[in-house]
Amino acid sequence: MNQAPDKIKSIGWFFYDSKNKMVCLHKRNDDAPESKNTWDYFGGAREEKDKTAEDALRRELQEELGMNFEKNKISLLSTNGKNIYVIFASIHGFRKMKLGEGAGFAWLYLDYAIKHLENLSLDARNQLQKFETETRQFGIIN
């Protein structure tokens, strides 16, 4: 599952509030390089100055949202040329979030996002289903 950091070209992430069983997703706009006008996970490209994919994640979080997170709150969900991370956070910690690009963001119940959210990108739906399956398997979600 692990891939050498130099092979990772982009990263993505979504936030998960385990207390409320909600995810925070990004609404992309017309200017998005991919998944235009869809709900998706947040994401960005890895730049030369990023030593690792995690460095890219931290930089993107700061640039796009003006936020930092402790390493123990971030978990790698999948790798396939793009690292997808889950950031465990509380809805209440988002009062200071400043969206730098895109049309918006929203906190949604995980089950609703997977099964009913219209205009959710296929990749995001697959990643959320993977997350739900793995967390159920380990008893994190009932």
Side-chain angles (χ1 to χ4, degrees):
M1 183 165 167
N2 289 337
Q3 191 170 1
D6 59 315
K7 303 226 187 243
I8 301 300
K9 293 185 175 28
S10 60
I11 51 101
W13 72 90
F14 61 88
F15 300 99
Y16 181 68
D17 180 330
S18 57
K19 181 179 178 186
N20 295 298
K21 298 179 183 161
M22 297 180 87
V23 293
C24 183
L25 298 175
H26 187 211
K27 177 69 171 168
R28 296 182 179 261
N29 60 16
D30 287 334
D31 298 332
E34 56 187 58
S35 302
K36 293 179 186 303
N37 299 311
T38 63
W39 286 98
D40 206 348
Y41 45 78
F42 295 85
R46 182 165 168 221
E47 297 177 0
E48 286 185 27
K49 63 184 173 185
D50 299 320
K51 293 180 183 174
T52 66
E54 267 195 30
D55 290 337
L57 173 65
R58 292 187 184 289
R59 179 187 47 75
E60 287 285 343
L61 279 165
Q62 186 58 47
E63 287 177 5
E64 288 190 21
L65 305 172
M67 301 181 88
N68 294 303
F69 284 89
E70 299 168 21
K71 191 172 187 166
N72 66 344
K73 301 282 185 189
I74 300 171
S75 180
L76 180 63
L77 178 62
S78 67
T79 298
N80 188 11
K82 175 189 277 190
N83 279 7
I84 306 298
Y85 297 91
V86 178
I87 301 174
F88 293 88
S90 167
I91 294 171
H92 304 293
F94 280 73
R95 292 185 185 114
K96 297 179 183 178
M97 187 165 105
K98 300 173 200 153
L99 186 64
E101 55 188 55
F105 67 92
W107 282 95
L108 306 158
Y109 289 104
L110 178 61
D111 186 56
Y112 173 83
I114 293 170
K115 295 177 181 169
H116 304 290
L117 184 61
E118 290 185 30
N119 215 18
L120 178 63
S121 78
L122 181 60
D123 189 28
R125 191 175 310 279
N126 290 339
Q127 294 295 338
L128 292 174
Q129 286 173 330
K130 175 182 170 59
F131 174 70
E132 181 185 47
T133 299
E134 288 181 3
T135 52
R136 280 189 196 284
Q137 186 175 23
F138 294 107
I140 298 169
I141 296 177
N142 300 338

